[in-house]
Amino acid sequence: MNAVVGLMKNRTIMKLKNITIFTALVLFFGACTNDYSNIEVTEVPQDPNKTVIVNGFEGAMEGELIIKFRPEVTAILDRTLTRSAQANKAGAYGAVMTRSGITDVDHVLDIIGSYNIERVFPMNKSEEETRKSGLHLWYIVRFNNNTDIRNAAEELSSVGEIAKIQYSHELKRREDQRPTMIAPAIKASMNTRQSNSFFNDPGLPKQWHYINSGDESLVPGSKAGSDVNCGEAWKKSTGNPSIIVAVMDEGVMWPHPDLEANMWVNEDEIFKSDKDNDGNGYNGDVYGYNFAEMTPVISWSHERDTGHGTHVAGTIAAVNNNGIGVSGIAGGSGSNDGVKIMSVQIFSGQFGVNQYNEARAIKYAADNGAVILQCSWGYNSSLSDPSSSMRGYVNDEHWARHCPLEKEALDYFIH
């Protein structure tokens, strides 16, 4: 695990109702950024009956648009989706449609050119909750790559059955970040215990951010007590296996000896299977899902991987008191009582994730029982230099206006 010392910078903890979302901007991972964060975008009109193009065109992915239909056309979309699934002998997840079934929409799309249409969120056992939140109304329209996407968005904005149009952009890592090392799980004698250690994990005395004794050999100028107060927290609880934490990051090395016992396991699935045994809309998802490559295979060994997903998972739930590696803040006491880690992978080697797969990842975590979503990525400042990076958002309202799909997916997770 690459977190023998486990330095984490600029941690922000937001408590939203009963859910805690950790947003950690980490030193080596470099505050991953949505490159589509352009503040020069169309403002939302006051008339709610008008179709809104919610974000900027610059940097948009070729050949696709994300649209949200109005609730009034739900029945038409459902009939078309059902017919398509039956015709293709595919489950609802594989139901890619060649028509929406809505006359005005299909007329405009026929003029634009060749296309197909697919629901963003697969139908699954959480369909009732999906519909209550309105997420069933989000669709992806795919065109040929030579289609003028800007013109397509403008043409579709004249269709009354469409509420919102969103250019598709990619969430990707900064190019200047450096890989981090994944250190081996160091073995220690089971009776080795430091004076300030609750557990026998050899890395714990170096985790000064957990329990800081003021040892300047670890951090020059260190001040005793300058830590996250793990010592007092562990007197109350060292973890709880009923709590599932979704790590939305690079893939987590699930067979790591200091993590494996605290990994979430989807017992109804078979690893790498091409069947959706549990009806959650995803095949073979035993430890989570790789949304960067849309595969159940969680990866961590691509040349450009940094090990950051494993690092974060270790900080949360490295197994405590097992005589190896480091300690996890909620890794338990050594009696199989740590929180469980679900790997919701959005970065894989050179691959990032587009906006709708990012939203799918968030909803997947909620649908499969996660109550904490750990997000070590974020946006640049709205004051950043546009000559060197894309600007972010001014405030929460500005973000919500221009990232409605992400906002609705996060609301779904929170509620």
Side-chain angles (χ1 to χ4, degrees), residues 37-169:
S37 325
N38 189 341
I39 63 171
E40 296 179 1
V41 291
T42 305
E43 293 299 325
V44 178
Q46 295 300 310
D47 186 352
N49 296 316
K50 289 185 178 180
T51 303
V52 183
I53 300 176
V54 300
N55 60 345
F57 168 75
E58 184 179 356
M61 300 181 72
E62 294 182 351
E64 60 188 31
L65 290 171
I66 306 168
I67 62 175
K68 185 179 185 182
F69 288 105
R70 297 191 186 279
E72 291 79 7
V73 296
T74 296
I76 299 174
L77 292 168
D78 287 348
R79 287 196 297 270
T80 308
L81 187 66
T82 300
R83 286 197 299 268
S84 181
Q86 292 171 343
N88 296 318
K89 296 181 179 180
Y93 180 72
V96 177
M97 305 181 296
T98 56
R99 313 287 291 174
S100 72
I102 303 167
T103 303
D104 288 348
V105 173
D106 290 332
H107 177 70
V108 171
L109 289 172
D110 284 337
I111 294 172
I112 294 170
S114 177
Y115 71 94
N116 62 53
I117 184 168
E118 176 188 0
R119 216 175 85 160
V120 170
F121 302 103
M123 294 181 69
N124 61 16
K125 56 190 178 183
S126 301
E127 184 66 11
E128 183 178 353
E129 290 83 0
T130 303
R131 289 175 179 269
K132 284 180 181 177
S133 65
L135 290 180
H136 66 295
L137 297 170
W138 284 99
Y139 279 75
I140 310 153
V141 183
R142 295 188 179 91
F143 307 91
N144 292 331
N145 281 348
N146 59 358
T147 300
D148 185 336
I149 291 298
R150 196 169 201 169
N151 177 68
E154 293 294 337
E155 292 290 339
L156 286 169
S157 69
S158 67
V159 180
E161 289 86 352
I162 296 175
K164 295 176 182 178
I165 299 171
Q166 189 167 331
Y167 290 110
S168 181
H169 294 263

Side-chain angles (χ1 to χ4, degrees), residues 237-242 261-262 320 330-340:
S237 175
T238 58
N240 186 325
S242 70
N262 279 346
N320 291 333
S333 64
S335 302
N336 197 29
D337 53 354
V339 301
K340 299 302 180 184

Side-chain angles (χ1 to χ4, degrees), residues 133-398:
S133 65
L135 290 180
H136 66 295
L137 297 170
W138 284 99
Y139 279 75
I140 310 153
V141 183
R142 295 188 179 91
F143 307 91
N144 292 331
N145 281 348
N146 59 358
T147 300
D148 185 336
I149 291 298
R150 196 169 201 169
N151 177 68
E154 293 294 337
E155 292 290 339
L156 286 169
S157 69
S158 67
V159 180
E161 289 86 352
I162 296 175
K164 295 176 182 178
I165 299 171
Q166 189 167 331
Y167 290 110
S168 181
H169 294 263
E170 184 181 7
L171 178 75
K172 55 187 178 181
R173 301 180 303 186
R174 294 173 62 106
E175 293 299 321
D176 59 353
Q177 64 185 351
R178 299 291 182 264
T180 57
M181 296 297 292
I182 301 178
I186 304 168
K187 184 91 175 182
S189 168
M190 291 299 289
N191 57 19
T192 299
R193 186 180 294 271
Q194 301 294 330
S195 59
N196 69 339
S197 298
F198 280 68
F199 309 119
N200 60 19
D201 307 296
L204 178 56
K206 297 181 180 179
Q207 292 178 288
W208 59 267
H209 49 304
Y210 285 13
I211 302 173
N212 192 343
S213 64
D215 185 351
E216 294 203 19
S217 67
L218 293 177
V219 182
S222 180
K223 182 179 179 181
S226 182
D227 52 40
V228 297
N229 214 18
C230 266
E232 291 304 309
W234 281 337
K235 292 176 184 178
K236 298 179 181 294
S237 175
T238 58
N240 186 325
S242 70
I243 301 298
I244 301 171
V245 181
V247 173
M248 191 172 175
D249 204 297
E250 288 186 328
V252 175
M253 185 189 291
W254 53 265
H256 192 289
D258 210 15
L259 279 176
E260 190 171 13
N262 279 346
M263 289 299 300
W264 171 77
V265 178
N266 188 352
E267 300 286 356
D268 294 328
E269 288 289 350
I270 300 171
F271 189 49
K272 298 185 180 181
S273 170
D274 60 356
K275 294 181 179 179
D276 178 18
N277 292 327
D278 67 342
N280 72 351
Y282 297 88
N283 303 333
D285 55 316
V286 174
Y287 304 103
Y289 203 80
N290 180 343
F291 288 89
E293 301 179 83
M294 290 307 291
T295 171
V297 181
I298 304 298
S299 63
W300 56 81
S301 58
H302 286 295
E303 183 179 353
R304 290 194 60 215
D305 281 340
T306 68
H308 189 261
T310 303
H311 163 91
V312 168
T315 300
I316 300 166
V319 178
N320 291 333
N321 220 32
N322 62 352
I324 59 174
V326 295
S327 295
I329 288 177
S333 64
S335 302
N336 197 29
D337 53 354
V339 301
K340 299 302 180 184
I341 295 292
M342 175 191 295
S343 185
V344 183
Q345 186 171 358
I346 60 170
F347 301 110
S348 179
Q350 74 272 26
F351 297 104
V353 67
N354 55 37
Q355 285 174 290
Y356 54 83
N357 281 337
E358 173 212 352
R360 283 171 168 167
I362 295 168
K363 187 174 184 296
Y364 173 93
D367 286 346
N368 289 282
V371 294
I372 296 174
L373 184 66
Q374 196 283 333
C375 304
S376 282
W377 50 269
Y379 297 91
N380 290 325
S381 165
S382 62
L383 303 177
S384 61
D385 183 355
S387 66
S388 59
S389 62
M390 297 296 288
R391 284 180 170 173
Y393 298 106
V394 176
N395 52 34
D396 286 350
E397 291 74 21
H398 189 219

